[in-house]
Amino acid sequence: MKLVLLRHGESLWNQENRFTGWTDVPLTEKGRQEAVEAGRLLKTEKILFDVCYTSYLKRAIQTLNLVLQEMDCEWLPVYKDWKLNERHYGGLQGLNKSETAKEYGEEQVKIWRRSYDVRPPFLEIEDDRNPGKLVQYRDVPKEKLPLAESLKDTAERVNFYFDSAIAVQLKKEKNVLVTAHGNSLRALIMRLEHLTPEQILDLNLPTGIPIVYELNQELEVEQRKYLGDPVWIKEKINQVAAQGRKKEADYG
């Protein structure tokens, strides 16, 4: 079976180097082009998907739609779930990463962005950014909606959804496409590749680059590869890693 993980294309707040989290921002034109290119790469790879999954956030949904258009596979079933949302960055949402690094230091920002069990500052319950106040989550019990999350928190909900939905399809020998976010996919990669909290700290996922996993019946990884030019992929990974430095990164 094949499981393909795809981080959404560049969003407006990626472009502005802001902590995005659950803020529902759209793709930029560059992000749309990245999504189309991801669809072209997947079409060239000749993977026939059976089912697709994405989050409640429009940057992931828009990316998936563009990929399926490019592959001429818009008929595929798509399931959306908030458990595939990006990690909730709490009170950091909307802040520029480089400016935050100047104020708090690069090491603190790296911990907030990439550590396993450290949560960023919490939102206040009265804050309009509280997901409990947003219509998308009206059917989700409020006690399940976060005001800030660590990667560990994110992994718990992502792994629950993987076990209850995605893994069920994979065990039926279905090929699955998951279009989601940097941290929700990092959590899933941590599980698939048995990474430690220390190893996950330095894992940076570029936008718009498909990662193809070949899995056996036990859902163990037999092969893993990025699609695209290796030099280009490495450059994009380095650009993501640079986001939390004091100097403004060229790309978010």
Side-chain angles (χ1 to χ4, degrees), residues 7 34 113-114 186 189 201-211 224-245 249 251-252:
R7 185 183 176 192
E34 288 178 333
R113 293 182 66 219
R114 292 292 177 256
R186 286 173 73 234
I189 290 169
L201 181 65
D202 293 316
L203 177 64
N204 293 286
L205 294 184
T207 55
I209 305 293
I211 309 173
R224 168 195 188 271
K225 64 178 179 180
Y226 281 101
L227 296 186
D229 176 68
V231 175
W232 173 61
I233 292 168
K234 184 176 180 180
E235 180 183 346
K236 292 192 71 174
I237 290 172
N238 290 338
Q239 289 168 344
V240 175
Q243 289 175 6
R245 297 175 188 157
Y251 183 94

Side-chain angles (χ1 to χ4, degrees), residues 66 111 121 139 143 145 150 162 187 189 225:
L66 289 164
I111 290 170
D139 295 327
E143 65 272 14
L145 294 171
S150 64
F162 181 82
I189 290 169
K225 64 178 179 180

